[in-house]
Amino acid sequence: MVQLVSRTASVPPKGRQAEFPRQLVHRSDPEDVFPTGWTRQTDTQFSVSARWPSAHRFFAPVAGRYQDPLLIAETMRQTTMLLAHAEFDVPVGDQFVMWELGYISSPERLALDAHPEHPDHPDGSWDITVDVACSRIKRRGRGLGAMSLELLLHRSGTRIATGGGRISCTSAKAYERLRGNRRAGTGALVPLLPSVAPREAGRDSERDVVLAPTPRQGLWRLRLDTGHPTLFGRPNDHVPGVLLLEAARQAANAVRPGRAFLPVSLEAAFLRYVELDRPCWIEAWIVPADTRSTTRVHVRATQDGETVFTSTLDSPDRTEEAQGIRS
């Protein structure tokens, strides 16, 4: 295992965030781009600078008091894509599979009033540094076949979260062969299912809800809005991983009704592509946690009778005092 060393990125952000090369993080809208620059420390260690906005159309504060923990997961994902393209020479047209992703944080590290004496920016946005160590690097010819990553996110010298992931890369031609006629459905509209009540899913807006109701408690059908500006930030021929993570978070909210679910830790496994044109079922249930003050929820997604995604999320029970879900 490679030891992570916390340090501040030695290269300032390359211009304004809106000018960051969005294709390197697989985002089309500047509002959804969080990295702002990067620097190489060694051949396998890097520091990435990022900025979390004070307000975002999707990754909004939870209970009006905490940064959205899924900002951690999305920053990790974008950091991984960035380094694969910029430092490991993966062509922009190649495809990634994120097989595993996980992080651990805590409420006090995500509190909006953290470091009030040293605000990052007048608008309340946070400057984040992500220290990354890459290991188990497998080459595909001269390109990248797969690698594992450990990540440490910190702000003003304070650790926010630690995490890791595992990816593999597929060339554009190999992906075309793998997906076949599925590629023809890229960007196609999918019939929009009815949603559960937004508050049940921990959201304010119905447009952000990714669960459709079923007669069975603890079971939902995945609800897809392929026009959603963040969850479908660019045309895709399968369900994006960020949407599956959001489905897990919303299911966790739904099985613990009336209390804001703050996923301060998360483990996820992406087992197969989730197709857009076939029903995908989301099931969630509460499981024993490590401490009495924590609620742990396990989520499973199935399609065509096979498990395609699993996730386990932890939330501290003390967030239950919050009456609202999002600010």
Side-chain angles (χ1 to χ4, degrees):
M1 182 172 290
V2 179
Q3 180 66 40
L4 282 170
V5 179
S6 176
R7 66 191 76 180
T8 302
S10 60
V11 174
K14 300 183 176 182
R16 292 181 295 122
Q17 188 170 1
E19 297 172 352
F20 189 85
R22 288 165 279 166
Q23 70 272 18
L24 296 185
V25 297
H26 297 193
R27 284 297 191 182
S28 58
D29 190 331
E31 184 177 343
D32 295 329
V33 176
F34 301 133
T36 56
W38 75 95
T39 185
R40 175 194 291 259
Q41 305 291 353
T42 71
D43 287 344
T44 59
Q45 292 186 301
F46 308 89
S47 284
V48 175
S49 55
R51 182 171 296 176
W52 287 356
S54 58
H56 188 272
R57 65 187 172 208
F58 186 76
F59 297 106
V62 177
R65 297 166 53 193
Y66 304 100
Q67 290 279 14
D68 184 348
L70 288 195
L71 276 170
I72 300 171
E74 179 61 12
T75 302
M76 291 170 57
R77 188 197 70 83
Q78 292 188 20
T79 293
T80 300
M81 305 299 115
L82 164 64
L83 294 178
H85 288 308
E87 296 290 344
F88 290 92
D89 300 320
V90 175
V92 171
D94 283 10
Q95 300 289 325
F96 292 90
V97 174
M98 179 70 78
W99 293 99
E100 298 168 359
L101 184 146
Y103 65 78
I104 298 174
S105 185
S106 61
E108 58 270 19
R109 304 295 170 86
L110 297 170
L112 293 176
D113 59 357
H115 303 301
E117 69 281 9
H118 299 295
D120 298 66
H121 298 279
D123 65 358
S125 58
W126 286 15
D127 283 333
I128 305 295
T129 299
V130 187
D131 292 328
V132 186
C134 304
S135 61
R136 300 177 184 174
I137 299 169
K138 297 181 180 180
R139 293 289 182 178
R140 188 187 67 239
R142 297 180 63 182
L144 179 67
M147 68 177 175
S148 297
L149 303 98
E150 297 175 59
L151 304 98
L152 167 64
L153 287 74
H154 55 98
R155 172 192 179 218
S156 302
T158 299
R159 178 181 299 190
I160 295 176
T162 58
R166 180 170 64 92
I167 65 165
S168 62
C169 304
T170 305
S171 69
K173 288 185 178 180
Y175 188 75
E176 289 284 351
R177 293 193 299 269
L178 174 67
R179 296 295 286 160
N181 59 11
R182 288 283 172 193
R183 294 291 285 156
T186 299
L189 293 176
V190 175
L192 188 61
L193 300 173
S195 76
V196 302
R199 187 173 182 83
E200 179 182 348
R203 305 300 309 194
D204 278 340
S205 170
E206 183 177 299
R207 185 172 194 187
D208 293 333
V209 176
V210 299
L211 301 179
T214 74
R216 183 177 139 194
Q217 186 175 3
L219 179 70
W220 305 267
R221 183 170 169 183
L222 192 63
R223 179 179 187 261
L224 303 176
D225 177 3
T226 54
H228 193 285
T230 297
L231 295 177
F232 282 89
R234 64 176 191 166
N236 215 321
D237 67 349
H238 60 273
V239 176
V242 64
L243 194 149
L244 295 173
L245 293 176
E246 178 61 22
R249 185 245 294 275
Q250 292 189 18
N253 270 280
V255 296
R256 198 181 78 157
R259 295 179 287 176
F261 193 93
L262 187 75
V264 293
S265 73
L266 177 148
E267 291 287 341
F270 304 86
L271 305 175
R272 296 185 59 181
Y273 289 113
V274 180
E275 307 297 349
L276 298 169
D277 60 351
R278 299 204 295 276
C280 178
W281 306 97
I282 306 295
E283 186 178 12
W285 60 95
I286 295 175
V287 297
D290 296 334
T291 68
R292 292 183 179 180
S293 60
T294 298
T295 297
R296 175 169 293 170
V297 177
H298 188 71
V299 179
R300 176 174 61 202
T302 57
Q303 191 171 64
D304 297 330
E306 295 192 20
T307 301
V308 292
F309 166 80
T310 62
S311 183
T312 301
L313 310 89
D314 287 356
S315 174
D317 285 338
R318 67 175 176 265
T319 59
E320 68 186 34
E321 65 194 40
Q323 297 301 311
I325 299 297
R326 301 207 167 245
S327 63

